[in-house]
Amino acid sequence: MNYASALKALEARQETRIELGLDRVRAHLSRMGNPHNQVPAFHVAGTNGKGSTCAILASVLRAAGHRVGLYISPHLLDPRERISIGGRKIARVDFARLFTQVLSVERQSKLTYFEILTAIAFLHFAKAKCSVMVLETGLGGRLDATNVVASPLAALVTSIDYDHQAFLGKTLPRIAAEKAGIFKRGRPALCASMPASALAVLRRAAPNLLVVRRPWKTVHVDWIRGRQILRCPKGKSYALSLLGAHQGMNVALASEAVRASGLKISSLAWRDGLKSVRWPGRFDLIRIGRKTLVIDGAHNPEAARTLAKTWRSSPWSKRPARWIVGLMRDKDRAGVLRPLGRLMRDVVVVRPPSPRAMEPLKLSDAVRAAAPSARITVERDPAAAINAWRRDARAPAVAVCAGSLYLAGAALKVVARRRNA
């Protein structure tokens, strides 16, 4: 099977079902020699911030000389983004070969889209003899396919808020219980500061829980270069090549997780790792001619609040901006739009490229409720909205794409096409 046919076969299972549970994937991995047990792992769950924290961990460990396998989800442009070693996504030939291997031991109970990618990741990291892997949960934690890892170097929960309630529960304690499922007896367990009701659940799951309450402090932000200077509790300053009001906490959590794991990472590796970390689609600044496009995948209330906080502290918050917005049907549109509505004066509503996307006209009503004085228009798709903004000399010099990671991926695709043209 070549890459094109492997990708086609994989896409055939996309969006068909979310089927949480570990029995099927455990049996499948057993038939492949249990590759998930061959590489030590950091395991990260959370409503928001888990991807950034994974990227930070992987970059710092790589700078320290480790051969690091990173598994994240979702992808923005290419499924191979989910599986990388040393900062390089899996090669097409390796993806096709491992995809074929995974399917060759599949039985009557077929793997889901996510389970296939998880199995490929474990195989890839084991075959490449990675010294450590960093795993981001896909949904929840307790029944997520990544939770087959039995003895992680450390398990981290970045935040608890409302998202995926149909699968994880409708209250913070129930959501916290699902996230806490990644904690393992006798292994380091950490979390960021969070609401007391969620924290109590995490403490019951892990009596040894380390709660990280103090983020690394932002002392300067270089908005043009897309980086900020953080000061750690010991007083040293580090440049982080990520923007966002929440990144200081993500770095603090990653730092404590490394310490708890027993791995020795020098301050030089921290400096180089934080300076070189990359995590697209999260307050991602892209220059297009004389204009600036901000791409942020904020798709739940907590992420929208963080985006609003970061935006208000940015130099663009005092200038006119165009907001290009698209959401999924199953998201809390009122909760997402509430913190953003007061920032919106010029809004273009689009349909992100997903069968689960909310219809623009329905979303327009929600935007109108959140931003009554905004000028609202509808475009047929994200590319049309971005290109219309870019070509219009009278349009604001800044645009923000927000509301969905599908929208973030579509926006990045527009930028990539323009650069390759």
Side-chain angles (χ1 to χ4, degrees), residues 9 22 27 65 79 94 107 113 131 134 169 173 178 181 260 305 308 381 388 393 418:
L22 300 180
D94 292 330
R107 297 296 184 259
Y113 181 99
S131 58
V134 179
E178 293 300 318
R305 292 193 297 270
D381 56 44
R418 186 172 183 277

Side-chain angles (χ1 to χ4, degrees), residues 8 25 28 31 38 75 97 102 112 135 155 171-172 260 262 272 274 276 328 342 351 354:
K8 184 177 180 180
V25 71
H28 197 93
R31 292 192 289 270
Q38 298 175 30
H75 62 272
R97 176 174 51 81
V102 167
T112 66
L135 308 174
T171 67
L172 291 186
D272 292 344
L274 293 177
S276 61
M328 298 293 106
R342 66 191 64 181
R351 179 190 175 104
S354 167

Side-chain angles (χ1 to χ4, degrees), residues 14-219:
Q14 176 75 331
E15 303 287 358
T16 55
R17 70 188 195 276
I18 295 176
E19 195 170 319
L20 297 173
L22 300 180
D23 291 345
R24 180 177 52 254
V25 71
R26 278 194 179 122
H28 197 93
L29 290 168
S30 177
R31 292 192 289 270
M32 295 191 299
N34 293 313
H36 58 294
N37 291 332
Q38 298 175 30
V39 183
F42 286 92
H43 198 187
V44 185
T47 305
N48 294 296
K50 59 184 180 294
S52 297
T53 303
C54 285
I56 290 165
L57 278 168
S59 187
V60 170
L61 292 167
R62 186 166 64 247
H66 286 276
R67 186 166 175 79
V68 184
L70 174 63
Y71 180 56
I72 57 94
S73 67
H75 62 272
L76 297 177
L77 298 174
D78 180 343
R80 293 183 298 130
E81 295 168 21
R82 300 183 183 222
I83 304 166
S84 63
I85 295 177
R88 295 185 176 183
K89 62 188 176 186
I90 184 172
R92 293 186 175 197
V93 63
D94 292 330
F95 185 95
R97 176 174 51 81
L98 294 177
F99 182 88
T100 303
Q101 184 175 345
V102 167
L103 291 194
S104 71
V105 297
E106 192 174 47
R107 297 296 184 259
Q108 186 175 0
S109 181
K110 292 186 177 297
L111 298 181
T112 66
Y113 181 99
F114 183 73
E115 289 169 344
I116 289 173
L117 289 171
T118 304
I120 291 174
F122 286 138
L123 273 177
H124 188 48
F125 300 155
K127 288 178 180 292
K129 300 188 183 305
C130 289
S131 58
V132 63
M133 56 185 176
V134 179
L135 308 174
E136 178 185 4
T137 59
L139 179 61
R142 181 175 65 91
L143 298 176
D144 187 78
T146 59
N147 203 30
V148 293
V149 173
S151 185
L153 289 166
L156 301 69
V157 174
T158 56
S159 76
I160 301 291
D161 206 84
Y162 295 101
D163 202 3
H164 302 295
Q165 291 99 309
F167 297 96
L168 305 182
K170 299 184 182 301
T171 67
L172 291 186
R174 290 190 65 180
I175 295 170
E178 293 300 318
K179 309 290 187 186
I182 69 168
F183 294 155
K184 302 299 189 299
R185 186 183 300 274
R187 303 307 305 155
L190 303 91
C191 74
S193 183
M194 62 182 59
S197 62
L199 187 58
V201 174
L202 298 186
R203 286 192 185 280
R204 286 197 294 272
N208 63 329
L209 181 69
L210 172 61
V211 183
V212 179
R213 300 185 184 278
R214 291 180 58 194
W216 286 22
K217 184 178 180 181
T218 299
V219 295

Side-chain angles (χ1 to χ4, degrees), residues 317-336:
S317 64
K318 304 297 190 293
R319 308 174 192 172
R322 175 164 295 174
W323 289 75
I324 300 172
V325 179
L327 276 73
M328 298 293 106
R329 289 193 306 271
D330 57 349
K331 297 301 178 180
D332 177 4
R333 55 185 179 272
V336 171

Side-chain angles (χ1 to χ4, degrees), residues 338-349:
R338 190 175 299 115
L340 301 178
R342 66 191 64 181
L343 308 174
M344 295 175 170
R345 297 293 180 269
D346 178 354
V347 184
V348 179
V349 177

Side-chain angles (χ1 to χ4, degrees), residues 223 245-246 303-314 339-340 343:
W223 294 98
H246 57 300
R305 292 193 297 270
T306 299
L307 170 57
K309 182 178 179 180
T310 303
W311 177 257
R312 283 194 297 268
S313 67
S314 78
L340 301 178
L343 308 174

